[in-house]
PDB file of all heavy atoms in Angstrom:
ATOM      1  N   GLY X 132     114.620 126.552  98.583  1.00 97.00           N
ATOM      2  CA  GLY X 132     114.622 127.882  99.184  1.00 97.00           C
ATOM      3  C   GLY X 132     114.099 127.796 100.606  1.00 97.00           C
ATOM      4  O   GLY X 132     113.599 126.744 101.036  1.00 97.00           O
ATOM      5  N   ALA X 133     114.201 128.893 101.341  1.00 98.00           N
ATOM      6  CA  ALA X 133     113.716 128.937 102.719  1.00 98.00           C
ATOM      7  C   ALA X 133     112.677 130.029 102.889  1.00 98.00           C
ATOM      8  O   ALA X 133     112.362 130.431 104.000  1.00 98.00           O
ATOM      9  CB  ALA X 133     114.882 129.166 103.685  1.00 98.00           C
ATOM     10  N   SER X 134     112.143 130.517 101.764  1.00 98.00           N
ATOM     11  CA  SER X 134     111.093 131.540 101.775  1.00 98.00           C
ATOM     12  C   SER X 134     110.291 131.393 100.506  1.00 98.00           C
ATOM     13  O   SER X 134     110.785 130.864  99.495  1.00 98.00           O
ATOM     14  CB  SER X 134     111.714 132.955 101.836  1.00 98.00           C
ATOM     15  OG  SER X 134     112.458 133.225 100.647  1.00 98.00           O
ATOM     16  N   PHE X 147     105.381 127.960  98.921  1.00 98.00           N
ATOM     17  CA  PHE X 147     106.261 127.453  99.973  1.00 98.00           C
ATOM     18  C   PHE X 147     105.492 127.310 101.292  1.00 98.00           C
ATOM     19  O   PHE X 147     105.635 126.310 102.010  1.00 98.00           O
ATOM     20  CB  PHE X 147     107.437 128.407 100.141  1.00 98.00           C
ATOM     21  CG  PHE X 147     108.422 128.015 101.211  1.00 98.00           C
ATOM     22  CD1 PHE X 147     109.387 127.045 100.973  1.00 98.00           C
ATOM     23  CD2 PHE X 147     108.395 128.635 102.459  1.00 98.00           C
ATOM     24  CE1 PHE X 147     110.305 126.702 101.961  1.00 98.00           C
ATOM     25  CE2 PHE X 147     109.306 128.292 103.437  1.00 98.00           C
ATOM     26  CZ  PHE X 147     110.263 127.327 103.190  1.00 98.00           C
ATOM     27  N   ILE X 151     104.975 123.966 103.730  1.00 98.00           N
ATOM     28  CA  ILE X 151     105.330 123.920 105.164  1.00 98.00           C
ATOM     29  C   ILE X 151     104.107 123.501 105.989  1.00 98.00           C
ATOM     30  O   ILE X 151     104.220 122.695 106.920  1.00 98.00           O
ATOM     31  CB  ILE X 151     105.845 125.298 105.639  1.00 98.00           C
ATOM     32  CG1 ILE X 151     107.195 125.624 104.985  1.00 98.00           C
ATOM     33  CG2 ILE X 151     105.981 125.321 107.168  1.00 98.00           C
ATOM     34  CD1 ILE X 151     108.341 124.719 105.384  1.00 98.00           C
ATOM     35  N   TRP X 173     114.195 117.131 103.224  1.00 98.00           N
ATOM     36  CA  TRP X 173     114.085 118.455 102.581  1.00 98.00           C
ATOM     37  C   TRP X 173     115.086 118.463 101.436  1.00 98.00           C
ATOM     38  O   TRP X 173     116.292 118.607 101.647  1.00 98.00           O
ATOM     39  CB  TRP X 173     114.400 119.543 103.604  1.00 98.00           C
ATOM     40  CG  TRP X 173     114.303 120.972 103.107  1.00 98.00           C
ATOM     41  CD1 TRP X 173     114.800 121.482 101.950  1.00 98.00           C
ATOM     42  CD2 TRP X 173     113.682 122.073 103.785  1.00 98.00           C
ATOM     43  NE1 TRP X 173     114.540 122.818 101.857  1.00 98.00           N
ATOM     44  CE2 TRP X 173     113.856 123.213 102.969  1.00 98.00           C
ATOM     45  CE3 TRP X 173     113.021 122.221 105.006  1.00 98.00           C
ATOM     46  CZ2 TRP X 173     113.376 124.469 103.342  1.00 98.00           C
ATOM     47  CZ3 TRP X 173     112.548 123.460 105.363  1.00 98.00           C
ATOM     48  CH2 TRP X 173     112.720 124.578 104.533  1.00 98.00           C
ATOM     49  N   PRO X 186     121.851 127.986 104.675  1.00 98.00           N
ATOM     50  CA  PRO X 186     121.893 127.851 106.156  1.00 98.00           C
ATOM     51  C   PRO X 186     120.524 127.922 106.789  1.00 98.00           C
ATOM     52  O   PRO X 186     120.205 127.138 107.707  1.00 98.00           O
ATOM     53  CB  PRO X 186     122.773 129.027 106.587  1.00 98.00           C
ATOM     54  CG  PRO X 186     123.579 129.371 105.374  1.00 98.00           C
ATOM     55  CD  PRO X 186     122.683 129.104 104.212  1.00 98.00           C
ATOM     56  N   LYS X 187     119.679 128.841 106.312  1.00 98.00           N
ATOM     57  CA  LYS X 187     118.337 128.987 106.881  1.00 98.00           C
ATOM     58  C   LYS X 187     117.487 127.748 106.606  1.00 98.00           C
ATOM     59  O   LYS X 187     116.755 127.269 107.499  1.00 98.00           O
ATOM     60  CB  LYS X 187     117.658 130.228 106.302  1.00 98.00           C
ATOM     61  CG  LYS X 187     116.285 130.513 106.898  1.00 98.00           C
ATOM     62  CD  LYS X 187     115.667 131.766 106.282  1.00 98.00           C
ATOM     63  CE  LYS X 187     114.262 132.019 106.862  1.00 98.00           C
ATOM     64  NZ  LYS X 187     113.624 133.202 106.229  1.00 98.00           N
ATOM     65  N   ALA X 188     117.574 127.221 105.399  1.00 98.00           N
ATOM     66  CA  ALA X 188     116.804 126.023 105.055  1.00 98.00           C
ATOM     67  C   ALA X 188     117.233 124.834 105.901  1.00 98.00           C
ATOM     68  O   ALA X 188     116.397 124.048 106.379  1.00 98.00           O
ATOM     69  CB  ALA X 188     116.973 125.702 103.572  1.00 98.00           C
ATOM     70  N   ARG X 189     118.538 124.673 106.104  1.00 98.00           N
ATOM     71  CA  ARG X 189     119.038 123.576 106.942  1.00 98.00           C
ATOM     72  C   ARG X 189     118.493 123.679 108.360  1.00 98.00           C
ATOM     73  O   ARG X 189     118.076 122.691 108.961  1.00 98.00           O
ATOM     74  CB  ARG X 189     120.573 123.594 106.959  1.00 98.00           C
ATOM     75  CG  ARG X 189     121.189 122.416 107.705  1.00 98.00           C
ATOM     76  CD  ARG X 189     122.707 122.575 107.815  1.00 98.00           C
ATOM     77  NE  ARG X 189     123.339 122.620 106.512  1.00 98.00           N
ATOM     78  CZ  ARG X 189     123.666 121.540 105.811  1.00 98.00           C
ATOM     79  NH1 ARG X 189     123.406 120.344 106.304  1.00 98.00           N
ATOM     80  NH2 ARG X 189     124.261 121.665 104.639  1.00 98.00           N
ATOM     81  N   SER X 190     118.479 124.907 108.886  1.00 98.00           N
ATOM     82  CA  SER X 190     117.965 125.146 110.226  1.00 98.00           C
ATOM     83  C   SER X 190     116.467 124.852 110.320  1.00 98.00           C
ATOM     84  O   SER X 190     115.980 124.231 111.269  1.00 98.00           O
ATOM     85  CB  SER X 190     118.236 126.611 110.635  1.00 98.00           C
ATOM     86  OG  SER X 190     117.710 126.885 111.916  1.00 98.00           O
ATOM     87  N   MET X 191     115.699 125.283 109.312  1.00 98.00           N
ATOM     88  CA  MET X 191     114.257 125.024 109.280  1.00 98.00           C
ATOM     89  C   MET X 191     113.975 123.539 109.185  1.00 98.00           C
ATOM     90  O   MET X 191     113.028 123.029 109.814  1.00 98.00           O
ATOM     91  CB  MET X 191     113.631 125.763 108.102  1.00 98.00           C
ATOM     92  CG  MET X 191     113.615 127.277 108.241  1.00 98.00           C
ATOM     93  SD  MET X 191     112.914 128.104 106.781  1.00 98.00           S
ATOM     94  CE  MET X 191     111.187 127.617 106.925  1.00 98.00           C
ATOM     95  N   ALA X 192     114.773 122.815 108.402  1.00 98.00           N
ATOM     96  CA  ALA X 192     114.595 121.374 108.261  1.00 98.00           C
ATOM     97  C   ALA X 192     114.764 120.674 109.610  1.00 98.00           C
ATOM     98  O   ALA X 192     113.983 119.768 109.959  1.00 98.00           O
ATOM     99  CB  ALA X 192     115.599 120.810 107.248  1.00 98.00           C
ATOM    100  N   ALA X 193     115.753 121.109 110.377  1.00 98.00           N
ATOM    101  CA  ALA X 193     116.000 120.512 111.693  1.00 98.00           C
ATOM    102  C   ALA X 193     114.797 120.715 112.617  1.00 98.00           C
ATOM    103  O   ALA X 193     114.379 119.801 113.339  1.00 98.00           O
ATOM    104  CB  ALA X 193     117.250 121.103 112.309  1.00 98.00           C
ATOM    105  N   VAL X 194     114.242 121.915 112.598  1.00 98.00           N
ATOM    106  CA  VAL X 194     113.077 122.226 113.439  1.00 98.00           C
ATOM    107  C   VAL X 194     111.883 121.350 113.059  1.00 98.00           C
ATOM    108  O   VAL X 194     111.104 120.917 113.907  1.00 98.00           O
ATOM    109  CB  VAL X 194     112.703 123.714 113.312  1.00 98.00           C
ATOM    110  CG1 VAL X 194     111.379 124.015 114.012  1.00 98.00           C
ATOM    111  CG2 VAL X 194     113.815 124.585 113.897  1.00 98.00           C
ATOM    112  N   LEU X 195     111.737 121.074 111.766  1.00 98.00           N
ATOM    113  CA  LEU X 195     110.618 120.280 111.261  1.00 98.00           C
ATOM    114  C   LEU X 195     110.884 118.776 111.322  1.00 98.00           C
ATOM    115  O   LEU X 195     110.049 117.980 110.886  1.00 98.00           O
ATOM    116  CB  LEU X 195     110.309 120.676 109.810  1.00 98.00           C
ATOM    117  CG  LEU X 195     109.707 122.075 109.628  1.00 98.00           C
ATOM    118  CD1 LEU X 195     109.754 122.483 108.154  1.00 98.00           C
ATOM    119  CD2 LEU X 195     108.276 122.111 110.154  1.00 98.00           C
ATOM    120  N   GLY X 196     112.044 118.376 111.837  1.00 98.00           N
ATOM    121  CA  GLY X 196     112.379 116.953 111.927  1.00 98.00           C
ATOM    122  C   GLY X 196     112.673 116.325 110.603  1.00 98.00           C
ATOM    123  O   GLY X 196     112.423 115.134 110.389  1.00 98.00           O
ATOM    124  N   MET X 197     113.225 117.120 109.681  1.00 98.00           N
ATOM    125  CA  MET X 197     113.512 116.634 108.349  1.00 98.00           C
ATOM    126  C   MET X 197     115.028 116.479 108.129  1.00 98.00           C
ATOM    127  O   MET X 197     115.807 117.264 108.654  1.00 98.00           O
ATOM    128  CB  MET X 197     112.964 117.605 107.289  1.00 98.00           C
ATOM    129  CG  MET X 197     111.482 117.872 107.403  1.00 98.00           C
ATOM    130  SD  MET X 197     110.907 119.098 106.189  1.00 98.00           S
ATOM    131  CE  MET X 197     110.898 118.123 104.675  1.00 98.00           C
TER     132      MET X 197
END
Side-chain angles (χ1 to χ4, degrees):
S134 65
F147 180 80
I151 293 294
W173 181 314
K187 184 180 178 182
R189 185 186 298 276
S190 178
M191 291 178 69
V194 172
L195 291 167
M197 304 177 75

